[in-house]
Amino acid sequence: MALLTLDEAKQQLNITSSTDDAELQVYVDGVTDAIEAHVGPVENREVTELHDLPAGGARALVLRQLPAVSLGSVSAVLDSSPGYDTGALDVDGPTGVVRRLDGGRLYGPLRITYTAGRGTVPSTINLAARIMVQHLWRTQYGASRALPSVGGGDDTSVSEPISGWGYAIPFRVLQLLEPYKLPPAVM
């Protein structure tokens, strides 16, 4: 499952030849990181994290990459702390909060392996990726050659850079990603 395929990018750009495939693939791969910086993992991937919990344990812990699809394993890092059967735990996918089903406390440190991502790529995120590739591909043609057939239009007239991304992400892409945006505290 890819956030955006080369064929989808070529379709968006109305490219029918394979002449630029290698270069265009770099753009396709690049938009994934930029989009996932705003919405978290889209393509499913396995993540392993170390969670150091307070000495008295904790009622819950929060996974760092959201959304979470499923828990793989929750094992003890030290012999003095227990591991947990994932069947005895609940994970809230959108928030990444993990709790014991019996209401007990979690003790650590714990090494947690889980799948983060969305399972399927929402059509709105795919559309945002297409528009972003189109926006970035325009740099191949220079300001005087921005032709409508290769993505001409007015989305490059951005009034100010967006939080560290400069002009790489047009407002319309950010607006499409808004419903999927990560909560502010997630890094």
Side-chain angles (χ1 to χ4, degrees):
M1 172 196 68
L3 188 142
L4 179 68
T5 67
L6 179 62
D7 286 339
E8 289 169 333
K10 288 172 72 171
Q11 182 183 33
Q12 181 71 19
L13 296 169
N14 296 319
I15 295 175
T16 56
S17 75
S18 59
T19 306
D20 297 315
D21 282 5
E23 185 177 10
L24 183 54
Q25 186 64 53
V26 173
Y27 285 73
V28 168
D29 295 340
V31 300
T32 297
D33 288 342
I35 287 176
E36 288 187 344
H38 287 276
V39 302
V42 176
E43 299 175 5
N44 282 1
R45 65 185 54 110
E46 186 174 285
V47 178
T48 301
E49 297 173 349
L50 181 62
H51 286 261
D52 202 9
L53 300 172
R59 290 244 177 249
L61 63 85
V62 179
L63 302 173
R64 295 183 189 104
Q65 294 194 38
L66 306 177
V69 177
S70 62
L71 287 174
S73 66
V74 180
S75 58
V77 174
L78 305 173
D79 290 336
S80 61
S81 62
Y84 296 93
D85 176 7
T86 57
L89 301 173
D90 176 60
V91 61
D92 179 350
T95 64
V97 173
V98 177
R99 290 186 173 90
R100 288 179 47 175
L101 290 173
D102 66 6
R105 299 178 81 75
L106 295 163
Y107 297 92
L110 298 171
R111 179 170 286 108
I112 301 175
T113 302
Y114 63 99
T115 300
R118 297 187 185 274
T120 61
V121 179
S123 59
T124 306
I125 291 177
N126 178 269
L127 177 60
R130 289 172 184 243
I131 292 170
M132 190 168 166
V133 164
Q134 181 179 6
H135 172 76
L136 295 172
W137 189 251
R138 261 190 262 178
T139 62
Q140 298 302 305
Y141 296 96
S144 64
R145 293 182 57 206
L147 305 172
S149 64
V150 292
D154 199 21
D155 69 334
T156 55
S157 59
V158 182
S159 61
E160 61 186 65
I162 307 297
S163 61
W165 286 99
Y167 298 101
I169 303 178
F171 286 140
R172 67 182 71 187
V173 170
L174 293 173
Q175 289 170 334
L176 288 168
L177 297 177
E178 185 65 27
Y180 304 97
K181 196 165 87 174
L182 289 172
V186 175
M187 297 182 172

